Amino acid sequence: MTAEIIDGKAFAAGLRARVAEFVPGFREKAGRPPGLAVVLVGEDPASAVYVRSKGKQTREAGMESFEHKLPAETNQDELIALVDRLNADPAVDGILVQLPLPAHIDEQAVLIRISPDKDVDGFHPVNAGRLATGLDGFVPCTPLGCVMLLEDRLGDLSGLDAVVIGRSNIVGKPMAALLTARNCTVTLAHSRTRNLPHYLHHADIVVAAVGRPNFVQGDWIKPGATVIDVGINRTEAGLVGDVDFASAAAIAGAITPVPGGVGPMTIAVLLRNTLVAAHRNAGVPLDKGTI
């Protein structure tokens, strides 16, 4: 068996195109385009590349991109003051503070300061609480993108057994909550789970977000399972995921590659979340089922 390759790059391109289709109608009703503000503190090369990509794709979708690049020595009070200004700016619908921040800044203090209604990254405790309790709120982009890929391939996820490996607030925990909301039976595992292969042998869905290169082996996986590899690990051999791709692809029914799988979905979902925020902030109705 050779697994079907789940093309996240193509799906993300389609999602960005659908987002762009809504922008002219919103602009006509609201008198302005949706606006996304991205804040970068310091000169981290990977973050700088990511921010440039976000700005480019935001503009391509017809949205306004507000980019704030601050020196690494910016102090916490200055950064929070900027967040406060963006919260109050009616042209800004979404605010994203690029992580990681310099060590002298308390990330949580900054993220909590972002208005939950402009928290398109879905990291604010209010939005985390909304997700955990089944209320409507913003969901972190990467796990929401994973669910979109799963539903595109599998359709209704009800009744499926799912194992999420990794318990971060950014991916693992929200991923488990999203799958639970779709009536999966979910096991939230992690690097200290005893006998992890035992759980994976029964899983119809495996989401690997543990941050260890080639951690999940193919013979751990149930034949025909759908494997979503969130990991992006830089090694001497290049970029690899958390799943040993070659061995897993020989057993799984479908798998995301690294790169080209989950990665492109993150920015596409960010644009989708910004579109939703814009409609809410402007009081313009949007049927989220279409996006």
Side-chain angles (χ1 to χ4, degrees):
M1 177 188 293
T2 301
E4 172 193 344
I5 304 301
I6 299 174
D7 190 344
K9 187 175 181 181
F11 189 99
L15 178 57
R16 295 196 307 272
R18 292 198 300 278
V19 168
E21 289 174 0
F22 282 89
V23 170
F26 174 84
R27 186 193 289 265
E28 182 179 342
K29 292 174 182 176
R32 63 174 181 83
L36 174 63
V38 179
V39 180
L40 175 65
V41 183
E43 301 292 335
D44 179 75
S47 292
V49 169
Y50 198 40
V51 165
R52 280 198 299 273
S53 182
K54 287 175 181 174
K56 179 174 181 288
Q57 293 184 34
T58 300
R59 291 186 292 273
E60 287 175 350
M63 298 183 180
E64 192 78 39
S65 176
F66 304 100
E67 297 174 24
H68 298 267
K69 298 178 181 178
L70 308 178
E73 58 270 19
T74 299
N75 65 46
Q76 185 168 308
D77 289 343
E78 291 170 329
L79 179 55
I80 287 176
L82 172 59
V83 170
D84 287 343
R85 291 196 298 275
L86 296 174
N87 281 335
D89 188 343
V92 174
D93 297 296
I95 301 170
L96 184 150
V97 177
Q98 183 65 42
L99 303 180
L101 291 170
H104 65 277
I105 296 177
D106 180 350
E107 289 185 352
Q108 196 60 28
V110 174
L111 296 179
I112 287 176
R113 198 62 170 247
I114 297 171
S115 166
D117 295 327
K118 296 189 177 186
D119 170 40
V120 288
D121 249 344
F123 294 163
H124 195 287
V126 167
N127 281 320
R130 287 171 177 165
L131 175 60
T133 54
L135 299 176
D136 194 23
F138 290 110
V139 177
C141 301
T142 299
L144 184 52
C146 292
V147 167
M148 289 180 177
L149 293 177
L150 285 168
E151 290 182 325
D152 182 63
R153 181 180 188 273
L154 299 174
D156 185 8
L157 305 182
S158 292
L160 297 180
D161 287 324
V163 174
V164 178
I165 312 169
R167 51 187 168 176
S168 73
N169 293 329
I170 295 173
V171 179
K173 290 177 183 175
M175 188 77 225
L178 286 168
L179 291 172
T180 299
R182 284 156 178 78
N183 301 310
C184 292
T185 301
V186 182
T187 299
L188 182 57
H190 43 80
S191 60
R192 296 188 184 182
T193 298
R194 293 180 180 177
N195 196 12
L196 181 58
H198 164 78
Y199 297 96
L200 297 188
H201 283 152
H202 301 280
D204 304 300
I205 296 169
V206 176
V207 181
V210 72
R212 292 188 176 187
N214 299 319
F215 177 67
V216 177
Q217 300 300 303
D219 59 4
W220 297 4
I221 295 168
K222 175 182 176 180
T226 300
V227 178
I228 304 293
D229 190 350
V230 182
I232 300 178
N233 306 286
R234 297 183 185 279
T235 70
E236 292 182 358
L239 285 179
V240 300
D242 290 350
V243 178
D244 183 67
F245 183 83
S247 63
I251 295 177
I255 188 170
T256 56
V258 177
V262 173
M265 291 297 296
T266 301
I267 296 179
V269 175
L270 174 68
L271 298 182
R272 178 260 179 204
N273 283 356
T274 302
L275 180 74
V276 172
H279 281 78
R280 287 181 183 171
N281 294 337
V284 176
L286 173 68
D287 177 8
K288 288 198 300 177
T290 62
I291 193 66

